[in-house]
Amino acid sequence: MTTTFTDVPVLDIAALFDETGSGYRDTVHALGDAARRVGFAQIVGHGVDPALFAALLDRTRAFFALSDEEKRRVYIGRSGNHRGYVPPGEEIFAEGSYDTKEAFDVSFELPADDPRYLAGHPLLGPNQWPRLTGFRAAVTAWYDAVFALSRALLRAFAVALGEPADRFERHVTAPPSQLRLLHYPYDPDAADRPGIGAHTDYECFTLLRPTAPGLEVLNAAGEWIDVPLIDDAFVVNIGDLLEIWTNGEYVATTHRVRKVAEERYSFPLFANVDYDTVVAPLPAFVRDDQPAMSPVIAGEHLFAQTAQSFRYLQERLARGEVNLPDDARPLASFGRKPLSSNLSH
């Protein structure tokens, strides 16, 4: 379990892009230490062009400024593979709470004639795109750059565990790695108070670029620790799959977004592995005093958690149009539980 940390480490990862270089091992060690102690880090020196973020933010603002009617043309419930616009109140958290954010979700793009999509796969296939000039190009360029960064980090996390560099990355060919464009509207009556959407992330790890502060993580003492906004930095946090693969060596730390008055945009890319990947504890991390965690199938775990937290999917479940996997875990199965259960939004 994570320690009683009091801050989130800031790491320069420039050395990761030369795996034979002199600084590679030290950088890998620092990432592994953050994954074990905190489950979170902020990274700089990542090499992602700031111009890509400027274009993404410009087109994201333009999209969320569209009329409700226009945004709902690409409503996520119109898709068969969980892509598109997420209106306020659509997403529900583990204790039945919801918040006022809106989102636009895309994932790894596959063509409409891909047999997996044609067979009704719940998370693979093409994206929905709005009728907005430059939006698809800006979002795709950002996705491609951050997806490439996620592969470098996935290799580094494996090396930090004493595993081959491709131990996890070998399972990345067409994964349901989702990018969310999140918009928290300006609320002049908002009060800074705890308890907004405490959760862990369902995939291997997350790469996040926010435009405003508000993110907090939970330490071993049950204290919420602020993650300060650092210009041009990504926040990295471990998700459920790496916690299972490492049998708890890496920790999916509970986090939330505090309610703040200012308008906030947030762009998490959830780095995943291929849908059918069996994720089970690596033998090196199973001991008598640390029995093996139950394995999951990567995509089934993601779909089960997603289906339990979106209204349109809950309605499909109720009608019998989709089904949860037999071993689906309930929401909030990972991470610590906050001392306060105040999770209203």
Side-chain angles (χ1 to χ4, degrees):
M1 299 297 289
T2 51
T3 60
T4 308
F5 57 88
T6 56
D7 57 20
V8 172
V10 180
L11 308 176
D12 188 327
I13 66 162
L16 285 190
F17 304 103
D18 180 4
E19 294 185 5
T20 64
S22 59
Y24 180 76
R25 289 285 170 175
D26 286 344
T27 304
V28 162
H29 175 78
L31 274 170
D33 179 66
R36 290 178 174 94
R37 290 191 310 105
V38 183
F40 267 78
Q42 296 211 65
I43 58 169
V44 296
H46 47 72
V48 176
D49 186 351
L52 295 179
F53 186 67
L56 173 74
L57 184 57
D58 174 77
R59 293 295 79 196
T60 297
R61 285 175 168 150
F63 173 75
F64 288 120
L66 294 173
S67 68
D68 186 62
E69 179 184 6
E70 191 66 25
K71 287 183 288 190
R72 285 183 178 271
R73 288 180 182 272
V74 286
Y75 170 55
I76 198 165
R78 294 177 181 268
S79 76
N81 59 344
H82 197 65
R83 320 284 176 98
Y85 174 61
V86 181
E90 174 71 37
E91 195 172 357
I92 306 164
F93 293 98
E95 297 193 14
S97 58
Y98 66 93
D99 62 20
T100 57
K101 73 174 185 297
E102 55 183 344
F104 187 84
D105 294 353
V106 301
S107 194
F108 193 94
E109 182 101 39
L110 291 174
D113 61 357
D114 186 280
R116 289 164 291 190
Y117 176 66
L118 294 176
H121 199 290
L123 294 176
L124 299 179
N127 292 307
Q128 289 197 91
W129 296 105
R131 302 183 301 187
L132 179 62
T133 301
F135 182 85
R136 180 174 184 170
V139 172
T140 299
W142 178 257
Y143 185 99
D144 290 347
V146 182
F147 184 77
L149 174 60
S150 75
R151 299 189 76 140
L153 285 168
L154 202 55
R155 292 175 66 83
F157 283 130
V159 173
L161 291 162
E163 296 287 328
D166 71 341
R167 182 64 188 83
F168 308 126
E169 195 212 9
R170 69 183 68 159
H171 300 288
V172 177
T173 59
S177 294
Q178 184 186 62
L179 171 66
R180 307 200 74 190
L181 320 181
L182 299 172
H183 177 220
Y184 298 83
Y186 169 67
D187 182 358
D189 300 318
D192 263 354
R193 58 179 176 78
I196 307 300
H199 64 286
T200 63
D201 294 338
Y202 313 139
E203 299 84 353
C204 290
F205 62 88
T206 303
L207 280 164
L208 169 72
R209 279 293 305 271
T211 64
L215 180 63
E216 297 177 326
V217 300
L218 191 66
N219 71 11
E223 301 164 332
W224 288 104
I225 306 301
D226 181 62
V227 182
L229 183 69
I230 298 176
D231 186 49
D232 199 36
F234 282 91
V235 179
V236 181
N237 64 276
I238 301 300
D240 297 348
L241 296 187
L242 277 185
E243 180 169 317
I244 295 171
W245 243 326
T246 65
N247 207 36
E249 184 81 5
Y250 288 173
V251 181
T253 301
T254 301
H255 53 285
R256 70 184 184 193
V257 176
R258 190 176 68 242
K259 189 167 185 177
V260 293
E262 64 190 293
E263 186 173 40
R264 183 178 187 269
Y265 294 89
S266 180
F267 303 92
L269 184 137
F270 302 97
N272 211 336
V273 288
D274 293 337
Y275 191 95
D276 294 330
T277 304
V278 177
V279 177
L282 297 168
F285 304 102
V286 178
R287 306 182 301 271
D288 289 343
D289 63 343
Q290 187 71 20
M293 300 175 71
S294 298
V296 298
I297 296 174
E300 288 187 358
H301 176 65
L302 173 58
F303 180 70
Q305 298 296 293
T306 303
Q308 293 175 80
S309 55
F310 279 76
R311 292 186 188 277
Y312 87 93
L313 284 171
Q314 290 180 345
E315 291 169 0
R316 290 182 184 177
L317 285 169
R319 294 193 298 265
E321 297 172 4
V322 297
N323 297 291
L324 294 180
D326 292 339
D327 58 352
R329 304 185 186 199
L331 290 176
S333 297
F334 291 81
R336 290 193 179 85
K337 303 301 180 288
L339 298 180
S340 170
S341 60
N342 174 21
L343 293 178
S344 59
H345 286 64

